[in-house]
Every structure is written in C-alpha cells, then in structure tokens.
Amino acid sequence: MDFAIRRAAADEYETLGEITARAYLQDGLLDFGESDAYLGELRNVARRAAAAEVLAAVADGRVLGGVTFVPSGGPMADIARPGEAEIRMLAVAREARGRGAGEALVRACVDRARAVEGCVRVVLSTQRTMRPAHRLYERLGFVRTPDRDWNPLPELDDITLLTYELTL
C-alpha cells in the first residue's frame, strides 16, 4: 500500500482522534471502556499537536493512523529522560492494519529522534496485551526495559505498562 507519513493537518485531528479512540476501544485496551478518562486524551489530537509532533499515515487523502512523537521530553512525555524521545499513542485503523503503516510511523519517529541534537534513545510504553505492537518494536530493534515499567494509575494494581527503548 502506498501511503505517506507526515505531520497531521489540523483538519485531520478529529479523524485521527477517532481512529485512535476506536483502536484502543476495539482492542480492549481501556480498562473502563467508553467511560475511561484516557479516551478523552486519545481523542484530543489538537492538545497533543500543541505540545508534541503528531504524525499521520495517509493514503489517497485518507488518514490510516497516527502517532505522537515527543522529542527531548516535554509536557507529553510519560517516561522520557534527558536525551530521550518518546513515542506515544500509536494507532492504525483496523481496516488499514497489516499494511505497514504502524511500522512506517514508528520508523518516522526513530528518524526524527536521530535528527534531535543530543537524543540518544527512543522510549515507549505499551500494554501487556499489545503483542502485535511488541513484535513490531522488537523487529525494529527496541528492547524491553522492565526496570522502567510503570503504572499510570497507582491506585489500581493491575495496570502496569511495559517499556521499551531503542538506542540510537
């Protein structure tokens, strides 16, 4: 499939937000389903774009998916330390999966990280059940960093996010 990876345009934010929200909902990644507070963050692409770089995979004028690239920490970073960039909220529409858009989005983030002065590593968090994503990250050279695993909702014991890193 031919597609381009580029910065998401403002008129694509709503579509990309819905793709991201649907992906998380359909894949059972939100513990509280439609009432999960994180759903609002997933849909709010404009907020992410104001604080980081939101990339979109686009084919024939249609958004297939997107990712948030956070260079050198910043307000959108969850786990990035100095000298690290972070990948967040990678999502591809269900009907566009398996065509390489997710991999192209991750590769675009890695390329951007290499262009950031002083950036030596790319990090990300993922849920235990995101096995296809884990395979993708590992195929691209990311390695697990169990010492950095974390819980975004400490009041709930069973929401530990796994972490990965790629040394540049």
Side-chain angles (χ1 to χ4, degrees):
M1 170 175 240
D2 285 334
F3 52 83
I5 305 297
R6 59 165 171 71
R7 188 180 289 261
D11 64 351
E12 297 168 330
Y13 290 172
E14 185 175 344
T15 299
L16 184 53
E18 282 308 306
I19 287 171
T20 308
R22 276 196 315 267
Y24 276 66
L25 282 168
Q26 290 170 347
D27 292 348
L29 302 173
L30 298 173
D31 290 318
F32 305 105
E34 291 281 352
S35 64
D36 199 299
Y38 194 54
L39 197 56
E41 284 194 51
L42 295 172
R43 286 189 168 120
N44 196 344
V45 177
R47 179 181 170 274
R48 295 199 308 268
E53 186 176 2
V54 177
L55 303 177
V58 181
D60 299 321
R62 197 175 112 236
V63 177
L64 306 176
V67 67
T68 301
F69 173 71
V70 185
S72 304
M76 284 298 300
D78 278 333
I79 63 167
R81 298 173 181 156
E84 296 178 338
E86 188 166 341
I87 296 173
R88 296 201 51 207
M89 301 177 193
L90 173 66
V92 175
R94 184 165 277 189
E95 64 275 10
R97 291 182 183 176
R99 301 177 187 167
E103 180 172 338
L105 287 161
V106 173
R107 287 183 183 277
C109 289
V110 171
D111 289 345
R112 279 169 168 71
R114 286 189 171 114
V116 174
E117 186 175 335
C119 187
V120 297
R121 195 172 300 105
V122 179
V123 297
L124 61 89
S125 302
T126 182
Q127 292 184 20
R128 292 181 189 282
T129 58
M130 294 176 157
R131 288 177 193 88
H134 303 167
R135 287 190 296 273
L136 167 64
Y137 303 140
E138 290 165 7
R139 190 171 67 249
L140 294 178
F142 285 80
V143 295
R144 279 276 292 119
T145 52
D147 57 309
R148 292 178 78 165
D149 291 355
W150 65 288
N151 184 340
L153 299 170
E155 66 275 14
L156 301 175
D157 292 335
D158 59 345
I159 305 181
T160 298
L161 297 178
L162 308 180
T163 58
Y164 281 82
E165 72 178 24
L166 174 70
T167 300
L168 302 177

